[in-house]
Amino acid sequence: MIISHDLGTTGDKATLVDAEGRVVAAVTARYATDFGPGGKAEQDAEAWWGALCAATRELLESVPGAADRVAAVSFSGQMMGAVLLDGSGRPVRPAIIWADTRSTAQTARLVDRVGMEAGYRITGHRLNPTYSLSKVMWVRDNEPEAFARTRHILLAKDYAAYRLTGALATDPSDASSTNAYDQAAGNWSAELLDAAGIDRRLFPEITASTTVVGTVTADAARATGLRAGTPVVIGGGDGPMAALGAGITEAADGAYAYLGSSSWVSLAADAPLHDPQMRTMTFNHVIPGRFVPTATMQAGGASLEWIMDVLAPGQDDRYERLLAAAVDVAASEDGLYFLPHLLGERSPYWNPRARAVFAGLARHHGQAHLARAVVEGVAFNLYTGLRAFAENGADIRQVDTIGGGANSATLLKIFADVWGVPVRRRDLVDEATSVGAAIVGGVGVGLFDGFDVARRATDHHDPATPDSDAHARYTAAHELFIDAYRRLEPWFDRL
């Protein structure tokens, strides 16, 4: 069997997967995020390790004899962050995660020195404060003592692998989320690192996602309950890993949407997709030679969680109750819009100063209208990404969904009407990323003969089908949604 760890924003999900790609057991150990003024978003890397150890022990205890049957441990992890380590491998400060947007000044310097279009061409991404490189620059500029002690820079799943094995490594999918990776060369970008003034030696070697980077040490075995000597596969970033877990391995597989705290729409391709308007970005896939064009919004599921907490705090049934009420009311059709930029925004605007807005509120609007507007706002924002893919030649005939939001038939129906294509729920909505990581681990140690096992490991349910009249109305409403942002953008800048 394989143990995969998905180090997400809210916790580590440990999953035990058998040789057929089936989930045997799964547990989650949670950790906190420190959000603060100016765009601060940090986590304690030691809390990641504690969660990994606790989840591994609980998982092994749930299946008698499992530790002796584990062929490998593999990883998926939140992307675009930075863990800074000293020469002894200890964090010099809390980890900066993807949601942190404090490095706007550092990003501006990168843009001045390299150029936005050149940066996009090199990395497949805009130069933006949400990425690792400018975050490292921010630490250097604002915390010089911590930076002076820094000898290594890792991403979340790389730190977990390091704690298990002592090996410092990353993979192309995670490296492609740093703003420091040259996709054409397949290595760290000398041009961007020189512009940033960051030493290349701080970054780890890049190896294939399926690489066995080491084995579980004796100390790590005592902490986790794993056998010492168990192979550890480096794995990949959670976005590309989710694509694999959703069965998206090649262009013919179509698109998928991840409906979690951050949300995205994505597909598989044989080459990077460079949008002339730079609305989307391209990660490397965990499958060698493949790429994952993606449009990611900062607060997809997080917007839904926020409105539920605001409208019905502490009520266990708030999600189901408010979504059920939202079915019977209109939002955009009644002039009410929600711009879902609670954490600034990546796709399509790449503006860390963007803010969430209700526009068009009227006296008769109540809780159900607000909930409906938030759902539509998330759908509209993701639709902008899907349209960008289509305008650049992608043939999108359906969208498969994974992540917690995919459990809601109400959400999927609204999304289908907004997007104008059938929207299908995969049967492993909560485990797709973990299953992807397990597949990569299994390929790495020879348990699986290839990545196509992903298609056998997951299936889809009957789709939510779009109503053509509703889609026509939503298409017109989407233009107003875009217009609202454009009109407010100067105001965001003034804030």
Side-chain angles (χ1 to χ4, degrees):
M1 296 187 288
I2 303 289
I3 287 182
S4 64
H5 288 277
D6 179 21
L7 289 152
T9 305
T10 58
D12 172 44
K13 183 162 196 166
T15 305
L16 195 63
V17 177
D18 69 15
E20 301 300 320
R22 295 185 298 255
V23 174
V24 177
V27 298
T28 299
R30 300 197 176 276
Y31 36 75
T33 303
D34 180 13
F35 289 106
K40 175 184 177 181
E42 297 182 346
Q43 292 180 337
D44 181 0
E46 286 297 321
W48 295 344
W49 174 243
L52 183 150
C53 293
T56 301
R57 285 190 170 280
E58 184 177 349
L59 192 65
L60 294 175
E61 290 168 2
S62 71
V63 180
D68 294 329
R69 300 167 60 193
V70 175
V73 180
S74 184
F75 294 96
S76 167
Q78 53 175 291
M79 308 173 77
M80 306 167 76
V83 188
L84 282 64
L85 307 180
D86 65 17
S88 300
R90 292 186 295 265
V92 302
R93 66 174 319 284
I96 305 177
I97 69 167
W98 59 271
D100 193 294
T101 57
R102 287 175 289 181
S103 59
T104 53
Q106 289 72 25
T107 301
R109 292 208 300 272
L110 282 178
V111 173
D112 286 344
R113 295 168 183 173
V114 177
M116 184 64 81
E117 291 185 1
Y120 187 77
R121 185 178 64 253
I122 293 168
T123 67
H125 301 253
R126 286 198 188 209
L127 303 178
N128 189 266
T130 55
Y131 291 96
S132 309
L133 183 58
S134 61
K135 290 169 179 168
V136 174
M137 295 169 66
W138 183 90
V139 175
R140 179 195 61 199
D141 295 347
N142 291 274
E143 300 176 358
E145 292 183 1
F147 187 77
R149 293 188 288 120
T150 299
R151 297 294 179 270
H152 309 288
I153 299 167
L154 298 176
L155 289 99
K157 66 100 172 55
D158 305 331
Y159 178 72
Y162 167 72
R163 290 297 301 266
L164 278 181
T165 67
L168 296 162
T170 193
D171 81 299
S173 69
D174 240 352
S176 71
S177 79
T178 61
N179 260 180
Y181 179 76
D182 185 327
Q183 280 191 318
N187 212 329
W188 301 114
S189 168
E191 182 174 356
L192 281 160
L193 289 173
D194 287 347
I198 300 297
D199 191 335
R200 155 69 181 83
R201 289 172 294 182
L202 295 176
F203 287 86
E205 293 303 311
I206 302 170
T207 188
S209 302
T210 53
T211 300
V212 176
V213 293
T215 60
V216 174
T217 66
D219 286 345
R222 284 189 289 271
T224 62
L226 292 163
R227 284 187 298 105
T230 301
V232 176
V233 174
I234 192 63
D238 59 2
M241 201 65 81
L244 177 62
I248 308 297
T249 63
E250 57 187 34
D253 294 321
Y256 84 99
Y258 175 79
L259 306 177
S261 294
S262 66
S263 296
W264 59 79
V265 287
S266 186
L267 45 87
D270 295 324
L273 186 154
H274 289 166
D275 174 38
Q277 299 179 49
M278 295 185 286
R279 291 166 293 183
T280 64
M281 66 275 211
T282 299
F283 298 103
N284 284 56
H285 209 311
V286 292
I287 301 174
R290 299 267 166 81
F291 298 87
V292 189
T294 303
T296 300
M297 60 183 294
Q298 289 281 83
S303 291
L304 300 174
E305 293 166 4
W306 169 79
I307 195 63
M308 302 303 170
D309 288 342
V310 167
L311 296 179
Q315 297 180 23
D316 293 338
D317 64 342
R318 60 190 183 277
Y319 198 83
E320 295 79 6
R321 181 172 58 81
L322 287 169
L323 284 182
V327 172
D328 298 323
V329 299
S332 58
E333 195 172 350
D334 193 27
L336 177 61
Y337 290 80
F338 178 71
L339 307 187
H341 313 311
L342 289 167
L343 296 169
E345 195 52 274
R346 280 187 271 175
S347 299
Y349 308 119
W350 301 94
N351 184 1
R353 297 186 180 93
R355 291 294 179 265
V357 173
F358 280 107
L361 275 168
R363 178 63 182 84
H364 67 281
H365 290 143
Q367 289 188 344
H369 298 89
L370 296 176
R372 175 80 180 220
V374 171
V375 173
E376 291 183 1
V378 173
F380 283 144
N381 212 58
L382 294 172
Y383 184 47
T384 307
L386 289 170
R387 290 182 67 166
F389 296 150
E391 290 166 14
N392 286 282
D395 183 17
I396 299 173
R397 300 182 183 182
Q398 81 277 326
V399 178
D400 289 346
T401 57
I402 59 174
N407 286 307
S408 169
T410 298
L411 258 64
L412 300 192
K413 174 55 178 170
I414 293 173
F415 287 177
D417 286 344
V418 173
W419 298 345
V421 295
V423 177
R424 308 185 300 189
R425 180 174 69 88
R426 305 300 296 196
D427 58 355
L428 293 175
V429 294
D430 296 318
E431 289 86 17
T433 306
S434 299
V435 169
I439 291 169
V440 168
V443 171
V445 297
L447 188 65
F448 301 135
D449 58 7
F451 297 101
D452 286 346
V453 70
R455 293 195 181 93
R456 304 195 301 270
T458 180
D459 201 354
H460 58 78
H461 294 257
D462 292 338
T465 56
D467 177 275
S468 58
D469 291 337
H471 178 61
R473 293 192 298 271
Y474 275 132
T475 299
H478 179 257
E479 298 303 320
L480 282 174
F481 173 81
I482 296 293
D483 186 54
Y485 172 83
R486 293 299 182 197
R487 290 174 184 269
L488 285 166
E489 191 172 48
W491 188 75
F492 295 146
D493 291 339
R494 290 186 65 188
L495 283 179

